[in-house]
């Protein structure tokens, strides 16, 4: 789906967010920044004004009633924590006139089947797409994975992929992979920030000014990521090419191996994936 079609679809449908936290803000702000939608065509709801004030300051519409979002919009992001989803939907008392809605879930661990079961009380055969995005989409460098529910149409998949592809990379996967893949994309930025901070801290320890150390660490990680993506070569091969015999890099790599950095990262992905699955069970 081309960018013009995405713009027209969003303008016609309006875009709603049930939940107004950081991920919802990142998606909305990213779409506005890329010129895909006007702030006036975005609606968001939350129980309090804590986050909604920021949305209003950007010219977006807000409400404390989730039913208003579902009535005003045809594409609705469900962006509440999974344990609060039932409560959020329970606010909707009247279901007349809210058919033909597309629900896009960004809730960790909440399967499309479970989402459809809850939404069935609002409408028959609800159309659901499950997405795991990440906050770098705010700067056009997002990484999202998605899958469709049993009633999702091809156009539903295309509009979701089209929106998020304009904000970075967006890949359709099997739902059985959503928990693990979603952790890599969704939680991964926090792991990367920790590495950038740690490398910068090392530079400061060795006499490099903080601002310069942080800039070098971040740009170097960006460059390394681009090498993996654009060359298609294995990270281990690219790593080996930097490690000269008896040189500085191989000594640093050995130190990382001695400290268990590789094992720690693998354990972090595993722990976060298991937590995501657990959250999905607490419905």
């Amino acid at each position: 789906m081309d960018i013009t079609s995405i713009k027209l679809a969003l303008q016609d449908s309006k875009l709603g967010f049930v939940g107004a936290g950081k991920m919802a803000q990142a998606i909305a702000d990213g779409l506005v920044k890329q010129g895909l939608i006007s702030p006036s065509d975005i609606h968001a709801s939350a129980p309090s004004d804590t986050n909604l004030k920021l949305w209003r300051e950007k010219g977006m519409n807000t409400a404390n009633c989730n039913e208003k979002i579902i009535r005003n919009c045809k594409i609705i992001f469900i962006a509440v924590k999974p344990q609060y989803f039932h409560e959020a939907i329970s606010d909707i008392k009247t279901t007349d006139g809210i058919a033909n809605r597309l629900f896009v879930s960004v809730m960790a661990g909440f399967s499309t089947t479970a989402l459809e079961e809850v939404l069935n009380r609002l409408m028959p055969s609800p159309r659901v797409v499950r997405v795991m995005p990440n906050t770098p989409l705010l700067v056009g460098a997002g990484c999202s994975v998605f899958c469709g529910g049993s009633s999702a149409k091809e156009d539903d998949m295309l509009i979701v992929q089209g929106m998020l592809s304009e904000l970075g990379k967006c890949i359709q996967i099997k739902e059985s992979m959503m928990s693990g893949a979603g952790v890599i994309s969704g939680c991964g930025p926090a792991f990367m920030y920790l590495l950038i901070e740690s490398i910068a801290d090392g530079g400061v320890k060795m006499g490099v000014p903080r601002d310069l150390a942080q800039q070098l660490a971040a740009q170097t990680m960006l460059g390394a990521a681009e090498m993996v993506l654009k060359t298609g070569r294995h990270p281990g091969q690219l790593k080996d090419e930097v490690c000269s015999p008896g040189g500085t890099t191989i000594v640093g790599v050995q130190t990382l191996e001695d400290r268990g950095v590789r094992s720690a990262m693998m354990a972090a992905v595993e722990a976060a994936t298991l937590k995501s699955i657990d959250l999905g069970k607490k419905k």
Side-chain angles (χ1 to χ4, degrees):
M1 182 174 287
D2 61 43
I3 190 167
T4 302
S5 299
I6 296 168
K7 286 181 178 180
L8 290 173
L10 291 177
Q11 183 178 8
D12 179 61
S13 299
K14 311 298 183 186
L15 195 61
F17 292 85
V18 174
K22 286 185 170 56
M23 183 55 71
Q25 290 177 38
I27 294 170
D29 290 346
L31 293 172
V32 170
K33 188 175 181 180
Q34 293 298 320
L36 296 174
I37 190 169
S38 167
S40 61
D41 288 330
I42 295 177
H43 299 250
S45 63
S48 73
D49 263 8
T50 304
N51 293 327
L52 293 179
K53 181 181 177 182
L54 296 174
W55 294 68
R56 286 196 297 274
E57 289 173 353
K58 298 169 186 174
M60 301 174 189
N61 307 283
T62 64
N64 296 121
C65 174
N66 297 328
E67 187 173 320
K68 287 184 178 180
I69 302 303
I70 294 178
R71 289 200 171 280
N72 288 328
C73 307
K74 292 183 180 178
I75 300 175
I76 299 126
F77 277 85
I78 306 294
V80 297
K81 295 186 183 301
Q83 59 268 37
Y84 301 138
F85 177 55
H86 281 277
E87 181 181 351
I89 294 300
S90 69
D91 290 347
I92 302 167
K93 306 300 182 185
T94 305
T95 59
D96 295 337
I98 60 171
N100 196 31
R101 296 312 192 247
L102 170 61
F103 293 91
V104 185
S105 169
V106 297
M107 296 186 293
F110 214 106
S111 71
T112 56
T113 300
L115 190 63
E116 287 168 344
E117 288 175 357
V118 177
L119 293 173
N120 256 324
R121 83 167 186 82
L122 300 181
M123 61 193 70
S125 303
R127 293 153 48 214
V128 169
V129 175
R130 180 182 175 191
V131 174
M132 280 288 106
N134 64 18
T135 52
L137 52 78
L138 180 59
V139 294
C143 182
S144 307
V145 291
F146 75 101
C147 65
S150 62
S151 298
K153 302 175 183 177
E154 183 179 356
D155 283 351
D156 297 335
M157 308 291 276
L158 289 174
I159 187 64
V160 171
Q161 186 171 36
M163 276 193 293
L164 296 179
S165 291
E166 291 295 324
L167 306 180
K169 187 176 288 293
C170 184
I171 304 169
Q172 183 175 358
I173 63 174
K174 295 179 180 178
E175 182 152 25
S176 60
M177 296 191 296
M178 281 295 290
S179 292
V183 161
I184 295 173
S185 62
C187 304
F191 304 159
M192 299 301 105
Y193 298 146
L194 188 62
L195 285 176
I196 291 171
E197 183 183 27
S198 300
I199 294 170
D201 283 346
V204 172
K205 182 179 180 181
M206 302 315 297
V208 181
R210 167 68 62 184
D211 289 348
L212 177 58
Q214 183 170 302
Q215 183 178 356
L216 293 173
Q219 181 61 40
T220 300
M221 180 168 285
L222 176 63
E226 288 289 340
M227 283 289 286
V228 172
L229 292 173
K230 291 185 176 179
T231 67
R233 290 153 71 188
H234 192 281
Q237 181 184 359
L238 294 170
K239 178 262 297 176
D240 288 348
E241 292 176 359
V242 186
C243 294
S244 303
T248 56
T249 307
I250 192 63
V251 172
V253 168
Q254 180 187 12
T255 302
L256 291 173
E257 295 286 8
D258 289 344
R259 303 296 174 88
V261 170
R262 186 193 302 262
S263 177
M265 283 294 174
M266 291 174 65
V269 172
E270 180 182 10
T273 300
L274 293 175
K275 179 64 175 179
S276 173
I277 294 170
D278 185 57
L279 286 172
K281 293 177 180 177
K282 295 177 178 178
K283 301 189 291 290

